[in-house]
């Protein structure tokens, strides 16, 4: 299945496949060559080659590592089978291949761990780990680190449809039982009488302001959250309404960052020059991002994670997919200026081009956008 000429992807054997819920399964991956295992930070993901059903080059997909960094020599990914919602839609190619075809003993090809969504292990602040559905994969890995390496208070808050779709429940409970100041709150959207009798959840419906106020004492938290875009948008607005600073909220999801930034209105990728007034930055950087096709100019905000997220916060939404330098969807022409890569891209980027998702400007740049 793999492109054997691409040495970045190394063979890993599926040591175990475990069903975690009706829709979610875990895959335990061990390197065929032990030296191919690489350390990772809680929250990072693996890039995996998937057979292309139409032939040709393998497809590339990213899956978060749900095991802990202390589990040396093995990676665990926990994947939801993305079945079609309607008859006219296609099943998720990658997730269905993993669930329906991959079995123990098979070999898959993966690249090293990547991603900027990582637990700050040096901080001493209390932590909220907030997840929706299969978005618990990075937060479980973070919980493992927090329990093993710190005495920081932790609130693990998770929302899902119900017990049938609740993955890793027993594992999370066992981790929480290791320390008195690790708290778990589970919200079932469609709780059943059986779920209630078994005491499997703490609230029903959706996570609300009242939900968090009832289980969180006042404190200066750090929040790490992951889930589908509607969940993320609702939780981000909720956290801000509770007085949390944006700088304290870290998140991972594959959607435009502008979903979490209600301020600037959305525009197309070629706004008129009259609409390009840059918002006043707290501190001038002297660096501009210029869109060459419209001459729209924005003063760079040094707090931005990448040129992509910066443009999204200005209401400009370039094409993207993975947000991690893997898929190449966000490549744009670099007319002038210099950039630095904050995440090494999977493929070499040709001269005169730039991946917006994993770069920051060194000086003023003009994009062919």
């Amino acid at each position: 299945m793999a492109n054997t000429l691409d040495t970045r992807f190394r063979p890993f054997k599926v040591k175990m496949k475990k069903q975690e819920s009706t829709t979610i399964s875990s895959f335990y991956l061990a390197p065929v060559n032990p030296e191919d295992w690489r350390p990772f930070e809680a929250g990072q993901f693996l890039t995996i080659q998937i057979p292309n059903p139409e032939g040709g080059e393998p497809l590339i997909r990213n899956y978060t590592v749900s095991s802990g960094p202390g589990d040396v020599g093995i990676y665990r990914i926990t994947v939801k089978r993305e079945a079609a919602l309607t008859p006219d839609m296609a099943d998720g190619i990658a997730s269905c291949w993993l669930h329906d075809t991959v079995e123990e003993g098979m070999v898959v090809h993966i690249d090293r761990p990547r991603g900027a969504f990582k637990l700050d292990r040096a901080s001493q602040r209390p932590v909220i780990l907030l997840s929706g559905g299969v978005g618990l994969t990075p937060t479980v890995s973070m919980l493992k680190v927090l329990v093993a390496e710190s005495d920081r208070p932790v609130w693990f808050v998770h929302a899902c449809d119900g017990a049938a779709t609740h993955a890793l429940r027993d594992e999370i409970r066992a981790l929480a039982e290791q320390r008195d100041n690790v708290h778990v709150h589970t919200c079932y959207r469609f709780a059943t009488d059986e779920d209630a009798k078994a005491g499997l959840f703490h609230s029903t419906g959706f996570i609300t302001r009242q939900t968090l106020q009832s289980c969180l004492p006042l404190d200066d938290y750090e929040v790490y959250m992951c889930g589908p875009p509607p969940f993320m948008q609702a939780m981000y607005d909720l956290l801000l309404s509770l007085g949390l600073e944006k700088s304290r909220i870290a998140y991972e999801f594959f959607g435009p960052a502008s979903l979490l930034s209600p301020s600037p209105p959305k525009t197309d990728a070629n706004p008129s020059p009259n609409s390009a007034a840059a918002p006043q930055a707290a501190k001038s950087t002297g660096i501009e991002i210029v869109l060459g096709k419209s001459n729209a100019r924005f003063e760079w905000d040094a707090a931005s994670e990448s040129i992509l997220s910066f443009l999204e916060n200005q209401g400009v939404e370039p094409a993207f997919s993975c947000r991690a330098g893997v898929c190449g969807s966000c490549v744009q022409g670099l007319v002038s200026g210099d950039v630095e890569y904050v995440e090494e891209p999977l493929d070499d980027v040709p001269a005169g081009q730039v991946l917006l998702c994993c770069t920051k400007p060194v000086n003023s740049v003009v994009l062919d956008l």
Side-chain angles (χ1 to χ4, degrees):
M1 69 151 247
N3 179 358
T4 55
L5 297 179
D6 193 340
T7 57
R8 294 163 302 181
F9 288 88
R10 305 302 177 90
F12 276 68
K13 181 173 287 189
V14 180
K15 302 296 287 186
M16 184 167 69
K17 178 180 179 181
K18 180 182 179 183
Q19 187 167 347
E20 307 286 6
S21 76
T22 56
T23 58
I24 295 172
S25 292
S26 287
F27 301 82
Y28 293 76
L29 310 174
V32 173
N33 304 305
E35 64 271 17
D36 287 338
W37 189 90
R38 294 288 186 272
F40 67 96
E41 295 290 331
Q44 291 190 303
F45 60 83
L46 300 175
T47 301
I48 300 181
Q49 286 185 325
I50 305 294
N52 190 330
E54 298 180 359
E57 290 297 311
L59 303 177
I60 301 297
R61 295 293 186 271
N62 302 323
Y63 292 104
T64 302
V65 184
S66 61
S67 53
D71 298 330
V72 176
I74 200 157
Y75 300 122
R76 181 182 71 179
I77 59 173
T78 303
V79 181
K80 179 182 178 183
R81 188 183 190 281
E82 299 289 353
L85 299 177
T86 61
D88 59 332
M89 294 176 63
D91 288 340
I93 294 173
S95 67
C96 289
W97 176 75
L98 284 166
H99 277 258
D100 302 342
T101 303
V102 171
E103 299 295 344
E104 294 177 3
M106 287 182 60
V107 171
V108 298
H109 288 74
I110 66 177
D111 188 31
R112 62 174 178 81
R114 296 170 174 268
F117 182 58
K118 296 181 285 189
L119 177 70
D120 181 358
R121 297 165 85 161
S123 173
Q124 294 302 312
R125 292 189 185 90
V127 178
I128 301 173
L129 302 174
L130 181 57
S131 59
V134 77
L136 56 62
T137 51
T139 59
V140 169
S141 183
M142 292 175 180
L143 180 62
K144 289 175 175 286
V145 172
L146 289 164
V147 168
E149 299 182 2
S150 81
D151 58 359
R152 299 163 67 180
V154 180
W155 282 263
F156 190 97
V157 183
H158 178 62
C160 62
D161 283 348
T165 59
H166 189 175
L168 307 178
R169 179 178 60 239
D170 293 339
E171 181 175 323
I172 294 163
R173 180 187 296 122
L175 287 166
E177 289 174 350
Q178 294 181 38
R179 281 210 280 118
D180 291 339
N181 59 351
V182 176
H183 314 275
V184 175
H185 183 98
T186 303
C187 179
Y188 282 178
R189 186 179 177 191
F190 305 113
T192 66
D193 291 341
E194 289 74 16
D195 296 342
K197 290 176 183 176
L200 300 181
F201 61 89
H202 304 89
S203 62
T204 59
F206 297 96
I207 295 174
T208 64
R209 180 187 177 93
Q210 291 71 32
T211 304
L212 293 186
Q213 285 179 322
S214 68
C215 67
L216 297 174
L218 292 174
D219 217 325
D220 181 23
Y221 303 101
E222 285 177 2
V223 180
Y224 297 86
M225 64 177 185
C226 185
F231 170 85
M232 298 288 284
Q233 186 174 28
M235 294 301 99
Y236 190 74
D237 292 343
L238 191 159
L239 292 168
L240 293 181
S241 76
L242 290 173
L244 272 78
E245 297 180 16
K246 291 182 180 180
S247 61
R248 296 279 194 265
I249 305 173
Y251 53 85
E252 176 84 308
F253 75 111
F254 297 123
S258 55
L259 284 177
L260 304 186
S261 304
S263 18
K266 291 183 181 180
T267 69
D268 59 28
N270 294 305
S272 67
N274 292 334
S275 68
Q280 186 63 39
K283 184 178 181 180
S284 176
T285 62
I287 295 176
E288 283 189 322
I289 306 294
V290 181
L291 307 187
K293 292 180 180 178
S294 65
N295 200 36
R297 295 172 177 269
F298 305 97
E299 183 172 354
W300 169 252
D301 179 357
S304 298
E305 293 182 355
S306 66
I307 295 176
L308 175 63
S309 62
F310 171 78
L311 289 175
E312 290 175 331
N313 285 332
Q314 314 312 308
V316 181
E317 295 187 359
F320 77 94
S321 180
C322 75
R323 306 187 76 90
V326 172
C327 70
S329 299
C330 67
V331 67
Q332 296 291 339
L334 180 63
V335 179
S336 65
D338 302 294
V339 300
E340 60 180 355
Y341 280 85
V342 294
E343 176 77 23
E344 181 186 351
L346 182 63
D347 294 311
D348 292 334
V349 181
Q353 295 187 326
V354 60
L355 289 179
L356 302 181
C357 73
C358 55
T359 51
K360 293 184 177 183
V362 173
N363 45 39
S364 294
V365 300
V366 178
L367 303 172
D368 186 21
L369 179 64

